[in-house]
Amino acid sequence: QVQLVESGGGLVQAGGSLRLSCAASGFTFRVNTMEWYRQAPGKQRESVATITREHVTNYADSVKGRFTISRNNAKKTVYLQMNSLKPEDTAVYYCNAPTYYDYWGQGTQVTVSS
């Protein structure tokens, strides 16, 4: 059973930082691309950052230079370091493995106050 458990969200002032974690189980983590998404109220879910099995990363233009995705295969965990946060980063953040796209965790709420 694929499981994804996100954590690390919270309330932070603009300009602050947060580090999100996503613990994965039920599949071979080390060979899978992992992705962070977010969904703001009233908006569609959007991809934020991706990391391949070779640790190649890709970012949405809106977060490039501020967010960093990383992974620890031994811990089966993917991270999202978020710096210089803006109010428009407010959203529920989810991780996902594209190979198992139908499986989602509960997400973690990030709220950035101005």
Side-chain angles (χ1 to χ4, degrees):
Q1 178 86 11
V2 173
Q3 287 192 322
L4 299 163
V5 180
E6 301 93 345
S7 62
L11 173 63
V12 64
Q13 288 188 331
S17 298
L18 284 172
R19 188 193 195 205
L20 307 184
S21 300
C22 170
S25 62
F27 62 100
T28 308
F29 179 83
R30 60 181 173 80
V31 304
N32 276 275
T33 292
M34 295 299 296
E35 197 158 0
W36 281 99
Y37 286 79
R38 68 185 180 187
Q39 187 166 20
K43 295 188 177 181
Q44 287 192 329
R45 192 171 294 182
E46 63 172 350
S47 176
V48 172
T50 303
I51 184 165
T52 70
R53 59 183 292 179
E54 296 87 6
H55 293 241
V56 175
T57 59
N58 192 47
Y59 299 92
D61 287 344
S62 58
V63 307
K64 204 169 291 184
R66 300 187 298 121
F67 289 11
T68 303
I69 188 172
S70 61
R71 63 191 297 161
N72 184 321
N73 289 338
K75 294 184 177 181
K76 299 182 181 179
T77 300
V78 60
Y79 304 96
L80 187 67
Q81 177 67 43
M82 307 187 296
N83 299 328
S84 302
L85 282 162
K86 304 176 181 181
E88 51 263 43
D89 295 319
T90 295
V92 179
Y93 284 71
Y94 302 88
C95 70
N96 181 261
T99 301
Y100 303 95
Y101 185 76
D102 290 340
Y103 294 88
W104 295 86
Q106 81 289 346
T108 186
Q109 175 70 48
V110 172
T111 303
V112 184
S113 63
S114 57

